[in-house]
Amino acid sequence: MPDAQPAHGTCQLRRVALSGLLGTAVEFYDFLVYGTVAALVFGDLFFPEADSSVGTIAAFGTFAAGYVARPLGGIVFGHFGDRLGRKSMMLLTMVLMGAGSFLIGCLPTYDTIGVWAPVLLVLLRVVQGIAIGGEWGGATLMVAEHAGERPRGLWTSFTQLGAPLGTVLSTAVVTLVSTLPDDQFRAWGWRVPFLLSLVLLGAGLYIRLKVEESPLFTAARREKTTARMPLLDVLRKPRSVLLAACVGIGPFTAQSLMTSFMISYAVDSGYSRSQVLTGVTVASCTALVVMPLASILSDRVGRRPVVLTGALLSAATAFPVFALADSGRPGLLILACVIGHGIAQSTMYGPLGALLTEMFGTRVRYTGASLGYQTATLLGAGFSPLIASSLLASYDTSAPVALLLTAGAAVTALTVWRIRETSGTTLAAEPAQVRPTEGVPS
């Protein structure tokens, strides 16, 4: 029976990885369904008294509200995840995410309950944001901590793959219901993708109930080395959180601009819904291949060079990507989505899970990784569609939006240049703090 324990460990790791994949898929399905439907009809349904551009900005404002709540969720669930355990927090965040999405699908519109419609919409977005703020950190570090010294880039990439998988599922469902006549889509069709989130929720909960607690957290609790106030421990040395947040700004800016914003922008530019959603779907399918390849490569050559390559590629292709989108040709629009999202963004995002979990010790890993990641989502993804829509309304050209995409990638590139490689980090070591690269002045 000498191989029984390793085999059990590998089986449990696969289960944890699948759990992380489904959790992140639910997260991105919920948020991207909202972003897609907001781009298509929410301006009219929940903000009917505003003109078209203002209604779109208001709809993306509620999109940003969910992101504003994410750091709070990272703090709350991170605290209890570091104190009480990872598994229970993962179950709770998934229930809140799925329930929030389902309730949005049941929400009356402005014509039915007036101003309460946008108020309740924002409230549900905040609940979703708080839940999602704790979801990624728990799912990713559970995979990393179960993996131990096995290739963490490869295993944590399953959690990262939930992003394009959720995008594919959301765009497929929205594409299907958007074939309805316009009056039916506005009347009830837009609700279907939100209501279907219960299917993903059920599958995710089934898997997560079978997952065992993190072995590193179990050991820390047994040895009574868990932190009493994880947030205070993290903030005493805030450098790691700041670096983690800045590393994530580039991939999240690209993700938001190349999905939610691109849908709204391309439809307003004259493309049909189906053409735009096809572009996003093809790009997401490309990401399903690029992300694991980038993550595997990061196990071999390091996280820094892979993420840096993605950031430089995103910056270099920002203006060409929007030029392709402005061409008016559906094939070139698909190519723009593939380059900007499927390749450049995915190369940055794939190794991010391993990189951020390796930046913190076990005592504060849930809090630290979640806070860094969710701050990045707020700054990179939360406000990008809102800023981009405002820039487009002011300048009537995509050039400032391309510049915004370039700026996000530049932040990631400069930050990656400032940190040391983490791929050789032993997760059980305490403390795990990321320092500036050797030879680079502090």
Side-chain angles (χ1 to χ4, degrees):
M1 298 291 292
D3 296 332
Q5 185 62 34
H8 173 73
T10 301
C11 179
Q12 185 62 209
L13 176 57
R14 290 171 179 165
R15 189 174 293 163
V16 172
L18 178 59
S19 165
L21 172 67
L22 290 175
T24 310
V26 171
E27 169 189 342
F28 277 85
Y29 177 88
D30 288 347
F31 260 66
L32 290 169
V33 159
Y34 179 89
T36 304
V37 175
L40 296 176
V41 297
F42 269 15
D44 294 334
L45 294 177
F46 289 91
F47 308 94
E49 296 182 354
D51 63 37
S52 177
S53 61
V54 174
T56 300
I57 292 172
F60 280 133
T62 60
F63 184 77
Y67 281 98
V68 171
R70 282 186 172 207
L72 175 60
I75 292 171
V76 172
F77 288 104
H79 173 84
F80 290 106
D82 283 326
R83 290 283 296 147
L84 304 178
R86 288 45 164 134
K87 179 179 175 178
S88 57
M89 296 302 106
M90 289 172 60
L91 291 170
L92 182 56
T93 56
M94 178 168 277
V95 169
L96 288 175
M97 285 191 306
S101 186
F102 179 81
L103 290 175
I104 289 176
C106 300
L107 197 62
T109 61
Y110 189 95
D111 288 341
T112 303
I113 59 173
V115 71
W116 282 105
V119 168
L120 291 174
L121 180 62
V122 171
L123 179 61
L124 289 173
R125 291 293 297 164
V126 170
V127 170
Q128 276 191 316
I130 292 174
I132 291 175
E135 162 62 28
W136 179 90
T140 303
L141 68 88
M142 275 283 278
V143 177
E145 290 179 350
H146 273 275
E149 302 310 309
R150 284 171 281 196
R152 289 191 294 266
L154 168 62
W155 285 104
T156 57
S157 71
F158 284 93
T159 302
Q160 304 300 87
L161 282 173
L165 177 60
T167 303
V168 169
L169 293 174
S170 66
T171 52
V173 173
V174 174
T175 299
L176 182 62
V177 297
S178 67
T179 60
L180 292 168
D182 192 64
D183 59 336
Q184 293 185 34
F185 180 73
R186 290 173 179 273
W188 59 268
W190 66 269
R191 299 181 184 276
V192 174
F194 293 102
L195 301 178
L196 287 178
S197 65
L198 286 185
V199 177
L200 280 176
L201 172 62
L205 287 177
Y206 177 78
I207 296 296
R208 287 195 171 179
L209 287 170
K210 296 177 177 292
V211 168
E212 295 178 2
E213 182 58 89
S214 156
L216 291 182
F217 176 81
T218 300
R221 183 165 52 187
R222 182 174 60 247
E223 297 165 5
K224 298 182 179 180
T225 58
T226 55
R228 290 175 59 87
M229 294 296 294
L231 179 62
L232 294 181
D233 287 357
V234 168
L235 295 181
R236 285 191 187 102
K237 296 180 179 179
R239 186 181 189 88
S240 291
V241 171
L242 294 175
L243 290 172
C246 290
V247 167
I249 285 177
F252 283 114
T253 300
Q255 178 191 82
S256 191
L257 292 180
M258 296 307 302
T259 54
S260 298
F261 174 78
M262 182 60 77
I263 291 169
S264 174
Y265 176 71
V267 169
D268 289 343
S269 299
Y271 293 97
S272 68
R273 290 179 195 161
S274 60
Q275 290 171 339
V276 179
L277 294 175
T278 297
V280 174
T281 302
V282 172
S284 298
C285 290
T286 304
L288 288 171
V289 177
V290 174
M291 277 189 192
L293 291 178
S295 301
I296 292 170
L297 186 61
S298 78
D299 284 326
R300 295 173 178 262
V301 304
R303 320 290 183 218
R304 293 178 67 241
V306 177
V307 176
L308 180 61
T309 298
L312 294 177
L313 183 61
S314 183
T317 59
F319 283 89
V321 157
F322 276 94
L324 291 171
D326 289 339
S327 68
R329 299 171 62 181
L332 295 183
L333 173 66
I334 293 174
L335 180 60
C337 293
V338 168
I339 294 172
H341 177 48
I343 298 176
Q345 189 274 342
S346 298
T347 303
M348 288 187 283
Y349 186 71
L352 195 64
L355 174 60
L356 266 58
T357 55
E358 291 163 351
M359 293 174 72
F360 300 92
T362 303
R363 297 175 72 251
V364 299
R365 184 169 292 127
Y366 202 140
T367 300
S370 294
L371 187 56
Y373 181 92
Q374 301 305 341
T375 301
T377 66
L378 170 62
L379 299 177
F383 293 116
S384 292
L386 184 63
I387 294 171
S389 297
S390 300
L391 289 172
L392 194 63
S394 299
Y395 296 98
D396 197 30
T397 174
S398 64
V401 181
L403 188 60
L404 178 63
L405 178 58
T406 303
V411 172
T412 292
L414 291 172
T415 306
V416 169
W417 180 67
R418 292 284 298 173
I419 63 176
R420 283 183 179 174
E421 183 56 56
T422 65
S423 59
T425 302
T426 299
L427 292 184
E430 296 283 357
Q433 296 289 332
V434 176
R435 298 178 295 276
T437 45
E438 294 179 0
V440 178
S442 300

